[in-house]
């Protein structure tokens, strides 16, 4: 059996995407170094809608306290941390049953292709094109992928597209995160401050000084 056939056996048919579910991400600086930060991911709405059997379209929104960090470094780190945290969330929910959209895909697929499902979710949230995501039905994507190298190359190209989209992503300056960034030595920049941003959730406030990325508290 080919690599693609093995992979195809683990995947359900791609359903029609429903309503959007925001995935809020908080970029929190640890010091005055613009490149010293970690991520807190809020998957709550995404998980709740998936529990209801809605195959949601993820919508990514990133909040930070400063915006003078390298977008290239941010893109690489974000994709890697998102994939790890998303898979950790799915593992925590494994075995609880019910229709969960992206969360109910067979976990064996993760053993076949690293970051596969997380890459798909992040790509959809960023409106990345047709390599693995979007309008190409899963059987059409897998057709003709007869060896591991071709499939791995396809996933790697999509990861590159995801990182390019992340590098161009608009980041919203959150008032509370700006205050925190200033407290740890950040800049005084207040340009493009989102004054209508929702207050930070309690878990985000509780972990402002942890220095470690995470999502599932």
């Amino acid at each position: 059996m080919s690599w693609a056939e093995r992979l195809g056996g683990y995947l359900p048919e791609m359903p029609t995407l429903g309503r959007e579910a925001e995935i809020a991400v908080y970029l929190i600086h640890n010091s005055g170094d613009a490149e010293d930060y970690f991520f807190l991911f809020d998957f709550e709405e995404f998980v709740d809608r998936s529990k209801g059997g809605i195959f949601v379209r993820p919508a990514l929104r990133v909040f930070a306290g400063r915006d003078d960090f390298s977008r290239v470094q941010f893109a690489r780190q974000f994709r890697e941390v998102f994939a790890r945290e998303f898979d950790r969330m799915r593992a925590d929910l494994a075995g609880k049953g019910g229709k969960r959209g992206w969360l109910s895909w067979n976990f064996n697929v993760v053993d076949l292709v690293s970051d596969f499902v997380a890459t798909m979710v992040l790509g959809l949230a960023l409106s990345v094109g047709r390599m693995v995501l979007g309008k190409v039905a899963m059987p059409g994507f897998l057709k003709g992928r007869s060896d591991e190298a071709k499939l791995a190359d396809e996933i790697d190209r999509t990861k590159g597209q995801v990182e390019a989209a992340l590098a161009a992503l608009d980041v919203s300056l959150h008032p509370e995160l700006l205050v925190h960034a200033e407290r740890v030595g950040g800049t005084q920049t207040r340009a493009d401050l989102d004054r209508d941003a929702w207050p930070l959730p309690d878990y985000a406030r509780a972990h402002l000084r942890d220095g470690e990325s995470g999502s599932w508290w």
Side-chain angles (χ1 to χ4, degrees), residues 37-169:
Y37 53 79
F38 64 100
F39 304 103
L40 293 178
F41 295 86
D42 188 349
F43 289 121
E44 183 176 357
E45 180 180 4
F46 188 72
V47 170
D48 285 345
R49 291 197 173 186
S50 293
K51 285 180 179 178
I54 301 170
F55 203 92
V56 299
R57 181 184 297 277
L60 184 67
R61 189 170 186 191
V62 178
F63 296 95
R66 56 190 295 182
D67 61 0
D68 55 341
F69 50 88
S70 165
R71 291 303 195 270
V72 173
Q73 181 173 326
F74 158 81
R76 181 177 62 255
Q77 293 180 345
F78 185 95
R79 186 191 62 76
E80 293 173 353
V81 175
F82 180 92
R84 181 175 70 245
E85 292 302 316
F86 187 85
D87 285 343
R88 183 162 72 92
M89 174 191 67
R90 293 175 65 240
D92 286 346
L93 293 172
K96 294 185 178 179
K99 294 182 178 180
R100 296 173 182 267
W102 292 107
L103 308 175
S104 62
W105 283 34
N106 192 304
F107 283 83
N108 289 327
V109 72
V110 177
D111 298 328
L112 295 176
V113 181
S114 176
D115 302 342
F116 182 85
V117 178
T119 296
M120 293 186 68
V121 170
L122 187 53
L124 284 171
L126 293 164
S127 299
V128 170
R130 298 170 59 92
M131 281 295 184
V132 178
L133 317 164
K135 297 179 181 179
V136 178
M138 189 58 63
F141 162 68
L142 293 172
K143 184 178 180 181
R145 300 292 176 187
S146 58
D147 59 69
E148 177 177 346
K150 287 183 179 180
L151 187 56
D153 286 347
E154 197 81 5
I155 299 298
D156 285 342
R157 281 194 292 271
T158 301
K159 289 179 180 179
Q161 288 183 317
V162 165
E163 290 189 9
L166 284 169
L169 183 70

